[in-house]
Amino acid sequence: MESDYDELDRRLVHALQIDGRAPFSTIAEVLGVSDRTIARRYARLRSAGAVRVLGGVDPTALGAVLWFLRVRCAPTASLPVAEALARRPDTSWVSLTSGGTEIICVVRTESEADSEALLLAKLPRTPRVEGVTAHSVLHAFYGGPDNLAGKLGPLDEEEIERLRPSPVPHRRGQLRLDDSDRKLLALLATDGRAGFEQLATVTGWSPTTVRRRMTELRAHGLLYLDIDVDWRMFGVHARTLLWLSVAPAHLEETGRALAGHPEVAFAAATTGPANLYASVVCTNQRELYRYLTTRVAALPAITHLETAPVIRTVKQAANQA
């Protein structure tokens, strides 16, 4: 519950969203407390599952394709199918919506053959799956390194600037991963604040090489820092998925407008019957209604809207969907 957390918790989470690997001494200086207080507070929040810094990976940087799958099941089959999807290494988010008869999941496919096998062969033949629709992610307007804590956090502009890390110049070109890269990414996926010595031990590289390689992976857009948060800390409880249809000429401006809404945790242009998807979080159903009838209603290019309240999250990745 929100009452289980205090303002320092929220300020610390906001600081970690700005720079997940910032030294505790730097965070402590900005927040006006001792290093020991910040280290203790993060350890407590992390052990309670309230916040974790993670190394996120954008698979599209390696040519992979992300899909939103909407899987309709018989009521008694939805949870077993969702759990089976959650066990797959290529899924990053699995949720039950629409009274528990529909599963929404994010799936990564590495090639056209993988997409065909999953979408045309495997899922439709699963017992008690009644239908599948697939939406390929064309462009993300908000998500990945952009985290909702940046919208909800209490730090002011001066504090944000003091914590903001130096930008990493974007680099183009082919990026290839070897076994050491995969070990690096695997450890960061569980602990984005793992020290360079620990990462060096896992990869077999020197700490200097680890630091340089992390910079390269971030420059190519593959690696980013993210946080996994108990959103009740910010008074947020209800999560709802929106499928919107927008006139193509206005898709970009509408997507950017959605991305700026404080309620939006993720927004992307997609293929399929609806061409814009958003994941929104609100305090309660009353606030969801207010959001739909004010901010969303003010976007004139939206011609159709479908809402799907999330009733259970079976698997999640820090900041997708």
Side-chain angles (χ1 to χ4, degrees), residues 118 204 308:
L118 176 67

Side-chain angles (χ1 to χ4, degrees), residues 103-124:
I103 302 163
I104 309 292
C105 71
V106 179
V107 180
R108 178 189 72 254
T109 58
E110 307 296 341
S111 66
E112 290 186 9
D114 287 345
S115 300
E116 182 178 341
L118 176 67
L119 304 178
L120 301 182
K122 293 179 182 179
L123 272 176

Side-chain angles (χ1 to χ4, degrees), residues 43-66:
R44 178 175 66 79
L45 292 173
R46 193 175 191 277
S47 64
V51 64
R52 292 186 303 157
V53 176
L54 307 172
V57 173
D58 180 0
T60 62
L62 295 174
V65 177
L66 292 180

